[in-house]
């Protein structure tokens, strides 16, 4: 994925996470989704046309469309006030495709960190399917936090490190392992913290009762 585009993927994921948490107006977030969605359609098109037939470049670029179309779809859905089920079921397709791109990064492109990062994205887009496609509203807080955190961990930070030249200096196996451990820890730790009943007020009738 183009590092510049990846940086703005981080920004839009963070913004969308905050929106899901109810801190940003959906129509305000929609505009930025359209900006990033357009960028993520133009970028892979340019990369493919200038790839000179390089199969690895084309493979890498093709995955970017999954995100570009997602953000365009989200932006239009929010602005037009459409039902979210379309985005949700498309997200299921993206989640399945992301597993394939993870395999490609591990086995074909020899890029283990992004193999792990694609698994992060597969998990996140599956959560979008549950929240938007199946309407599991109890996941709102969980999905919001996962989205915002993944925006920073899987996109903004890697993009900055790639653009500044530091990404290649890291041991790629150690980096992939660190990302994997953090991802599992994030997914597990956030579950109890964002459970709908975790911060529910204690009913007045229950207060003062002995344990």
């Amino acid at each position: 994925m183009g590092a510049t585009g990846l940086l703005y993927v981080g920004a839009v994921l963070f913004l969308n996470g905050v929106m899901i948490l109810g801190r940003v107006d959906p129509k305000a977030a929609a505009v930025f989704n359209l900006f990033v969605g357009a960028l993520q359609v133009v970028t892979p098109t340019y990369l493919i046309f200038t790839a000179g037939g390089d199969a690895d470049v084309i493979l890498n670029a093709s995955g970017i469309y999954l995100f570009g179309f997602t953000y365009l779809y989200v932006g239009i859905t929010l602005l037009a006030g459409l039902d979210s089920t379309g985005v949700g079921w498309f997200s299921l397709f993206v989640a399945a495709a992301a597993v394939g791109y993870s395999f490609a990064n591990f086995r074909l492109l020899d890029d283990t960190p992004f193999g792990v990062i694609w698994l992060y994205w597969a998990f996140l887009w599956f959560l979008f399917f549950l929240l938007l496609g199946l309407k599991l509203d109890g996941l709102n807080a969980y999905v919001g936090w996962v989205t915002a955190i993944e925006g920073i961990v899987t996109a903004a930070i890697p993009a900055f490190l790639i653009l500044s030249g530091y990404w290649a200096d890291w041991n790629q196996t150690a980096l992939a392992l660190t990302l994997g451990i953090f991802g599992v820890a994030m997914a597990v730790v956030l579950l109890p913290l964002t459970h709908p009943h975790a911060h529910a007020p204690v009913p007045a009738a229950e207060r003062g009762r002995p344990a």
Side-chain angles (χ1 to χ4, degrees):
M1 183 179 291
T4 302
L6 185 62
L7 180 65
Y8 289 98
V9 165
V12 77
L13 284 177
F14 177 78
L15 182 64
N16 287 347
V18 177
M19 176 191 68
I20 293 170
L21 292 171
R23 302 293 183 177
V24 173
D25 179 75
K27 288 189 176 181
V31 176
F32 194 61
N33 274 269
L34 293 177
F35 289 158
V36 177
L39 176 64
Q40 294 300 89
V41 170
V42 172
T43 297
T45 302
Y46 171 80
L47 291 174
I48 290 171
F49 272 98
T50 59
D54 187 320
D56 288 349
V57 172
I58 294 172
L59 175 62
N60 252 329
S62 65
I64 303 176
Y65 286 114
L66 295 170
F67 305 106
F69 292 144
T70 296
Y71 304 133
L72 289 175
Y73 203 166
V74 168
I76 293 170
T77 296
L78 293 175
L79 286 177
L82 302 177
D83 182 79
S84 68
T85 50
V87 175
W89 282 91
F90 175 66
S91 295
L92 180 61
F93 174 85
V94 174
V99 174
Y101 279 98
S102 173
F103 175 83
N105 274 267
F106 279 124
R107 296 299 299 272
L108 303 177
L109 302 175
D110 195 27
D111 191 339
T112 52
F114 270 91
V116 175
I117 285 173
W118 273 102
L119 290 178
Y120 270 84
W121 292 335
F123 175 62
L124 179 58
W125 260 255
F126 182 71
L127 290 179
F128 291 155
F129 163 66
L130 297 179
L131 181 64
L132 304 176
L134 300 186
K135 306 291 188 180
L136 301 184
D137 294 337
L139 291 173
N140 259 34
Y142 184 75
V143 177
W145 278 105
V146 171
T147 305
I149 292 171
E150 284 206 19
I152 301 300
V153 173
T154 70
I157 291 176
F160 178 78
L161 292 175
I162 293 169
L163 289 168
S164 60
Y166 288 111
W167 183 263
D169 293 339
W170 288 59
N171 180 288
Q172 298 298 287
T173 301
L175 182 55
L177 184 61
T178 301
L179 285 167
I181 292 171
F182 179 84
V184 172
M186 172 196 69
V188 172
V189 170
L190 283 177
L191 273 173
L193 295 179
T194 59
H195 191 278
H197 303 299
H199 306 290
V202 178
E206 298 290 329
R207 294 174 192 160
R209 285 188 180 180

